[in-house]
Amino acid sequence: MKLLLATSLALVTLAVPANATPTITWGACADQALAAGGAECGTLAVPLDPAAPNGATITLAISRVQHRTAASKGTVLTVPDPFTGTGYQQPLVGARMAGGEQFDWIGIARRGLAPSVPATTCALNPVALGRPDYVPTPVSQPFWTDRIKQIAADCAGDPLLDHMKTTDQAADLERVRVALGVPSVSLYAQTYGTYVGQVYQTRNPSRVTRAVYDGSLDPARLWYNANNFDQDVLLEENQHRWFDSIAAQDGTYHLGTTRAAVQAAFDRKARDLKAQPVNGFGSSEFIDVFLFAAYSEQTWPLLAPALSTLVNNNDLSMTLGLYSAFYGGDATNRYSALLAQICTDTSWPSDWNKWTADTWATHAKAPNSTWGNTWFNGPCAYWKHQSGTLVQPGGTGSALIVNGTLNAVTPFAGSLETRSRFPNSALLAVQNGISFQSTFAGNVCVDNAVAAYLTNGTLPVRKPGRQADATC
């Protein structure tokens, strides 16, 4: 990891003059998906430190899918999502929505995330095989505590990680807008990218025409709660809903006719893999792959047969295939970039006793999801880079907020809070929606509402009080 860190330092380049107009030279895309989708790609030099425009620069990778109509109805910036790592390929999705062909869609690989340069890789792979059970014991506790301290130590000293905050990313959005030569843009943001978009909109209200926020974070709960304890119980509840679905199809999956029976089969297999991992695939990896059901019901048809095959036939092949599919790619890069943002946006508790007490209390209600989430976020307790001050978003700008009422990643309460801060916004609730992504996920009602808003500015009529304004 230190070698990779040293390499990233060498890729920070000299500054361009502060008065130079940034430009993007468009050409063919090396990314195969973007190339196949007819996108163009380019790069943009931006200051490493937005407060020091004459200092060193880094390079953002930019993609574009242009309008396919006679004239463009505007430019939509797809705000990079720190949670999933998406952004660069997102224009392909937006351009395919109803009416999407009328817009120019812009994607960005956010700073620190490949193919932007440098790409940070300081943190150990969070989903590498061979980890002990998430729930600590006197034997396994040192593994986990040493691991999170080592990550924080390995990520210390990289100048890029002093400038990975949400405010830095919002400054990048403005640089991209200027380079595109457009007076204003619309925004499309998902999950953790919603906070980046809202900070940009708050700081640049005249530059945002419209904004779609899918699964808005609660800006009052960042980050110790929002990326941690606010999720755990809701994730567990969603996993139980998946168990209900499996029980209702017992003739297919043969795991039991009740939630309790499916839970028992699940727990037995977790204990088996804890006692005897298979080629490094143990209980932590088992939890990782099947907790995906709590993030999106779209994964249920994939996960249910894998669990059935594993429990009934002791066949791990389907599960391993899904593990690779879900966590493939450069997880190290994505994890490093995410930590660099959330650990420095604001300060985290540095007393590990508080983390432990909060985790055990939540673990009592959510034993499958809690300790894994704590270890994932744990490096923030020991982070070496100086934390910033959170920007509290809000303003009179327009926004369409969309969220599933059962979303555990960015809970519905966060969208209610965001709605209260943007009085000219409207909240569209996806009733009983579990997925962290409500837009462009096959819900025609939602996608039509997004298309109408981006095209014509049409929003659901705002209702009084703290509630959704419309439901799909």
Side-chain angles (χ1 to χ4, degrees):
M1 292 302 166
K2 292 181 180 178
L3 176 61
L4 292 170
L5 182 61
T7 301
S8 73
L9 289 172
L11 294 172
V12 177
T13 60
L14 298 177
V16 295
N19 60 355
T21 301
T23 59
I24 304 171
T25 301
W26 298 105
C29 295
D31 182 284
Q32 293 183 358
L34 286 168
E40 302 168 285
C41 292
T43 58
L44 176 66
V46 298
L48 169 66
D49 180 359
N54 289 323
T57 65
I58 59 176
T59 301
L60 301 180
I62 314 292
S63 64
R64 177 174 69 177
V65 176
Q66 295 196 78
H67 64 281
R68 299 188 300 279
T69 52
S72 173
K73 283 210 167 187
T75 298
V76 183
L77 282 187
T78 57
V79 181
D81 179 7
F83 172 68
T84 61
T86 58
Y88 191 51
Q89 294 182 347
Q90 204 67 11
L92 298 176
V93 180
R96 290 197 298 266
M97 80 170 198
E101 73 281 356
Q102 304 172 90
F103 299 91
D104 297 315
W105 291 82
I106 306 297
I108 307 168
R110 69 192 188 100
R111 55 172 57 208
L113 192 69
S116 290
V117 178
T120 178
T121 54
C122 59
L124 296 169
N125 186 343
V127 290
L129 296 175
R131 293 163 291 140
D133 191 64
Y134 280 133
V135 181
T137 66
V139 173
S140 65
Q141 175 92 28
F143 172 91
W144 289 112
T145 53
D146 289 350
R147 179 184 176 89
I148 61 175
K149 291 176 182 178
Q150 188 63 54
I151 289 172
D154 287 347
C155 290
D158 183 349
L160 175 64
L161 270 63
D162 287 320
H163 306 289
M164 288 285 289
K165 300 177 182 67
T166 292
T167 50
D168 299 313
Q169 295 175 53
D172 289 343
L173 296 183
E174 177 62 4
R175 290 267 173 171
V176 170
R177 182 200 65 78
V178 171
L180 292 171
V182 294
S184 64
V185 294
S186 291
L187 305 176
Y188 171 75
Q190 292 177 324
T191 61
Y192 294 6
T194 60
Y195 179 58
V196 179
Q198 289 161 26
V199 168
Y200 176 73
Q201 186 173 19
T202 300
R203 290 190 160 185
N204 305 274
S206 66
R207 300 303 187 186
V208 178
T209 307
R210 297 172 188 129
V212 176
Y213 297 127
D214 181 359
S216 187
L217 281 163
D218 187 338
R221 302 285 291 174
L222 302 176
W223 280 101
Y224 179 69
N225 290 298
N227 197 49
N228 205 0
F229 299 107
D230 288 354
Q231 299 175 343
D232 296 336
V233 174
L234 298 179
L235 287 168
E236 199 95 0
E237 290 174 350
N238 282 349
Q239 190 174 58
H240 292 164
R241 293 183 176 97
W242 177 52
F243 290 162
D244 288 338
S245 172
I246 291 174
Q249 303 173 76
D250 184 58
T252 299
Y253 299 121
H254 309 292
L255 290 170
T257 59
T258 65
R259 174 191 295 186
V262 177
Q263 174 84 66
F266 181 92
D267 291 344
R268 284 195 303 273
K269 183 51 65 174
R271 288 194 299 270
D272 291 345
L273 288 167
K274 176 183 177 181
Q276 188 172 356
V278 179
N279 296 325
F281 189 95
S283 57
S284 292
E285 292 78 14
F286 177 81
I287 291 295
D288 285 341
V289 69
F290 289 110
L291 196 61
F292 238 86
Y295 289 88
S296 173
E297 61 267 48
Q298 293 175 320
T299 66
W300 292 6
L302 300 173
L303 290 168
L307 180 62
S308 174
T309 302
L310 178 56
V311 170
N312 293 314
N313 302 330
N314 202 31
D315 183 348
L316 193 60
S317 58
M318 290 181 66
T319 299
L320 287 174
L322 290 175
Y323 192 78
S324 176
F326 291 157
Y327 296 109
D330 195 349
T332 298
N333 182 203
R334 296 195 302 271
Y335 183 44
S336 302
L338 174 59
L339 288 179
Q341 176 184 349
I342 65 175
C343 294
T344 54
D345 261 356
T346 187
S347 59
W348 290 61
S350 58
D351 181 0
W352 191 250
N353 290 327
K354 173 175 173 53
W355 286 70
T356 299
D358 290 344
T359 303
W360 280 121
T362 308
H363 173 83
K365 297 175 283 187
N368 284 337
S369 59
T370 302
W371 270 108
N373 216 2
T374 289
W375 296 126
F376 185 91
N377 292 291
C380 293
Y382 302 98
W383 207 247
K384 310 300 182 183
H385 297 270
Q386 184 65 39
S387 61
T389 301
L390 286 172
V391 175
Q392 294 299 323
T396 58
S398 172
L400 174 63
I401 306 162
V402 186
N403 204 357
T405 58
L406 301 179
N407 180 359
V409 175
T410 50
F412 193 73
S415 291
L416 291 171
E417 176 63 23
T418 300
R419 175 184 180 272
S420 73
R421 295 174 179 231
F422 290 90
N424 291 323
S425 68
L427 172 56
L428 177 62
V430 181
Q431 192 63 36
N432 298 323
I434 287 174
S435 179
F436 64 85
Q437 178 184 348
S438 296
T439 57
F440 310 152
N443 188 318
V444 175
C445 172
V446 170
D447 291 348
N448 285 345
V450 172
Y453 172 62
L454 286 177
T455 303
N456 304 311
T458 304
L459 283 171
V461 176
R462 179 111 171 176
K463 293 180 178 179
R466 195 177 179 90
Q467 62 173 319
D469 302 295
T471 301
C472 281

